[in-house]
Amino acid sequence: MFNLILFGPPGSGKGTQSEKIIEKYKLKHLSTGDLLRSEIAAQTPLGLEAKNFMDKGQLVPDEVVIGMISSSLDANSGVAGFLFDGFPRTTAQAEALDKLLKLKGTSISVMLALEVSETELVQRLLNRGKTSGRSDDTNETVIRARIQEYETKTAAVASYYEDFDKVVKIKGEGTIEEIFSNLCSEIDARLS
Ligand code: ADP
């Protein structure tokens, strides 16, 4: 299996690039943000709990997202690989993911980390908020809180995978096609 983590701060383009990558490489897309928004839309107890955190720009508790990913892995056996988008976001999530994958006889192949400056991130998120229908994208305070969460809790996830030599940094500014092509080069180098 080929299991990829697409990493980066909120607004770095993970969602956009994920769509292109899964189409080209036929990977199963697991976005915790999308999974959580589906739970909210379906008004499940999990969704209702998660919403309180998401509305404030805070991370949802680890056990909630880990449980969700565990179910998704079980529900998708037999795929060519997974693309994790927005997960893992804490070191505890990374450790849990490694264990879950090990139980399935597989592991993370590579983490591709998109790098974008903070001013550009805020601009992109506010722009996205005009059309995305996502309430967490319209309020600058919530956006800054999400970037703060990224810096204090999520950035460490890259160090975790660096210890295993699995991180490749990719410039996340430029055209969508340029960034996609740089991502594909790294994926191709590891698939061959
Ligand atoms: P973005 O990357 O633009 O912040 P996401 O859709 O990935 O958007 O996430 C939206 C929100 O969902 C986050 O701000 C957070 O509250 C919650 N969330 C998503 N993934 C996780 C995760 N792995 N752990 C904890 N919370 C998460």
Side-chain angles (χ1 to χ4, degrees), residues 10 14 32-33 37 54 58 60 86 89 93 128 134 146:
K14 299 186 296 289
T32 40
R37 282 184 288 275
M54 293 168 76
Q58 294 170 0
V60 173
R89 256 177 156 96
Q93 291 179 19
R128 184 168 84 185
R134 278 181 55 175
R146 281 155 63 202

Side-chain angles (χ1 to χ4, degrees), residues 90-110:
T90 63
T91 308
Q93 291 179 19
E95 286 166 354
L97 177 61
D98 281 357
K99 282 199 191 120
L100 290 170
L101 292 177
K102 201 166 179 186
L103 286 173
K104 304 202 175 291
T106 185
S107 62
I108 291 299
S109 310
V110 67

Side-chain angles (χ1 to χ4, degrees), residues 112-129:
L112 300 177
L114 292 169
E115 299 196 307
V116 177
S117 73
E118 179 163 341
T119 22
E120 170 86 13
L121 292 176
V122 176
Q123 265 320 310
R124 285 188 191 180
L125 290 168
L126 284 170
N127 265 329
R128 184 168 84 185

Side-chain angles (χ1 to χ4, degrees), residues 33-51 54 68:
D34 288 350
L35 291 169
L36 290 166
R37 282 184 288 275
S38 302
E39 297 280 341
I40 293 174
Q43 299 192 330
T44 65
L46 190 158
L48 295 177
E49 188 196 348
K51 190 175 186 310
M54 293 168 76
M68 228 172 44

